[in-house]
Amino acid sequence: MRAQKSTIRSGNSAFSWNELACVALCFFAFSAAGCGHRLAGRWAATGRTLDNGEQEKTILELKQSGNQLSGTIKSLSFSIDVKGTARGNHFELYGPRNPTRPFITGELINGELHGTFGPRQWVAKRATSADDLPTVPYIQPPALHHVSYNGLAKTPPMGWNSWNLFAGRVDDRTVRSIADAMVSSGMRDAGYVYVNIDDTWEGVRDAQGNIQTNPKFPDMKALADYVHSKGLKLGIYSGPGPRTCAGYPASYGHEGQDAKTFAAWGIDYLKYDWCSARTIYKDDQLQAVYQKMGDALQTTGRPIVYSLCEYGLGDVQKWGAEVGGNLWRTTDDIRDQWSSMIGNIEEQVPTAPYAGPGHWNDPDMLEIGNGHMTDDEYRTHMSLWALTAAPLLAGNDVRNMSEATKSILLNKEVIAVDQDPLGKQASPLKNGDLETWIKPLDGGSVAVGVVNLGSAPAQATVNAKALNLKRSVGRARDLWAHKDVRFANGSYSAMVPSHGVLLLKVSSS
Ligand code: GLA
């Protein structure tokens, strides 16, 4: 998530006398505990050049006591408190989220810090005043009030989003070709209408403060026209802080202006990501901050789906609709991995009472078709998203889908469960490795999914009584096998593969 995405890299600097003396002392004392305070102080790392021409900069402020380190890593996009240890020239720093896996590891070499930051190498030199990050003046968000419902997203939004697969590699050409494929693959006709550009489209602001696109998106209005001409809608991404998670300019202090720009471009959906807002606001201001953009979008007069992305902070499900939100993330970023997908859906569980037409809990975008789960796991992914009335935003390359991926994403019977107008979010009942999710549907029928979390095939049994039907079972249909099945003596049983799912729609007689 978020902060880990920024880079620290490069820079040259001299070997100071202080450090030389310390190295010498260390050498003679054979100290294993680092040398005095050699790592203490402010370090500046210059990162990559963004697609808008700006250069990332990260400041590491460290205190050292013996071999104990503490401090902060700051950039325009984030600020993270770190703690760690020094052993000789080697040091390790841990972030607050994972005290067992180092966030940064490195060495002090010739007066520079050389290290690894996630997959990236970085070099930091002693910071000077020229490295100071610009100060961002605090703007108090307006008092809380109710933002009226915009009438959109009566069923969970469906579409595609660029982040899971393309991340920073998204551009105009890709989006156009995705839009073409949404039509030719049948995705649009199955209901996936939003084509959403995530982070890294942003340019810099002009002299009047208007946000511009970077060269990857030469003409956003023309792109929106193109997407609209295909019977699709265009989504965009920003955030309430000064910077997005990938370090690009976000909407802080320009909320109304950005909303107007998005509307003028023809944008239909905004994902609004907390990211660097945490460097300005406290968590108890989340509602007021999100309300500000909720108001701004409504002022434009254009119907724009409002997607809150703040990873479930501050019990967003309790106030997301109040600020005009149509959906809100309930979890951290999903990864194309069974444990991540299941972890996200488990985190979604307490939010169930808050889902309904116009306002949905969002356990993040789909990973189906991205290649790191089995087809059984992807069927479970799709089933769980449908049972929990989650937004269905494909995150794969829809231009190039295997038959299996198509059969999952385009399963109209499963999509219908997700899009059921009643808008109920199922909750699980656990029985060993089996989890049963029951979702009441419009018209009195129910969808029931039994997920096998275990590592061996297991027999799943659905008892009619548990379904709370008005009368006895009438029709029962297996939504993955696409065939009707028979309940005998009040139950139906089937073998479910490891990590697989049995998904039925059951109607009363
Ligand atoms: C955050 C969000 C992701 C994505 C990235 C973009 O991590 O949670 O979904 O939008 O930012 O930088």
Side-chain angles (χ1 to χ4, degrees), residues 28-108:
F28 290 114
F30 296 104
S31 162
C35 274
H37 301 94
R38 288 189 300 137
L39 293 166
R42 288 177 80 236
W43 300 89
T46 310
R48 67 201 156 121
T49 305
L50 301 176
D51 290 317
N52 63 3
E54 293 180 307
Q55 199 165 41
E56 281 186 328
K57 181 179 286 172
T58 309
I59 303 291
L60 172 59
E61 285 176 354
L62 279 183
K63 285 188 187 145
Q64 183 169 9
S65 164
N67 68 353
Q68 296 302 306
L69 298 170
S70 62
T72 319
I73 305 179
K74 280 186 191 154
S75 74
L76 287 174
S77 339
F78 67 84
S79 170
I80 293 182
D81 290 336
V82 286
K83 282 198 170 123
T85 51
R87 299 244 168 239
N89 287 330
H90 180 78
F91 66 93
E92 295 187 347
L93 295 171
Y94 296 80
R97 296 175 68 85
N98 194 341
T100 55
R101 208 168 100 214
F103 185 58
I104 286 190
T105 56
E107 307 284 330
L108 178 64

Side-chain angles (χ1 to χ4, degrees), residues 73 201 238 259 316 327 477 480 493:
I73 305 179
W201 63 267
S238 189
V316 59
L327 62 156
R477 189 160 169 81
W480 287 112
S493 295

Side-chain angles (χ1 to χ4, degrees), residues 352-495:
Y354 301 92
H359 48 91
W360 308 99
N361 298 307
D362 173 12
D364 208 357
M365 302 162 299
L366 301 172
E367 291 283 8
I368 295 161
N370 280 336
H372 293 96
M373 288 190 243
T374 65
D375 292 336
D376 275 328
E377 292 174 337
Y378 284 141
R379 274 188 281 275
T380 300
H381 184 359
M382 182 79 181
S383 305
L384 286 172
W385 263 238
L387 288 161
T388 57
L392 296 178
L393 294 165
N396 61 317
D397 192 346
V398 294
R399 300 168 304 186
N400 185 16
M401 291 192 276
S402 69
E403 285 309 312
T405 299
K406 275 195 213 161
S407 71
I408 297 169
L409 285 172
L410 291 167
N411 184 330
K412 294 196 175 147
E413 296 188 84
V414 179
I415 293 173
V417 171
D418 180 77
Q419 295 290 299
D420 183 77
L422 210 55
K424 293 283 183 208
Q425 176 175 327
S427 299
L429 295 165
K430 285 182 193 286
N431 176 11
D433 282 337
L434 296 177
E435 251 183 17
T436 302
W437 301 68
I438 298 171
K439 173 173 170 159
L441 300 174
D442 194 37
S445 48
V446 295
V448 51
V450 186
V451 175
N452 179 3
L453 300 172
S455 53
Q459 174 158 304
T461 299
V462 175
N463 286 310
K465 266 201 191 130
L467 304 180
N468 270 329
L469 295 170
K470 286 234 167 71
R471 291 176 295 278
S472 60
V473 171
R475 188 172 179 206
R477 189 160 169 81
D478 182 325
L479 303 186
W480 287 112
H482 298 291
K483 60 169 203 222
D484 286 3
V485 296
R486 278 175 57 81
F487 272 63
N489 301 323
S491 72
Y492 174 75
S493 295
M495 286 308 284

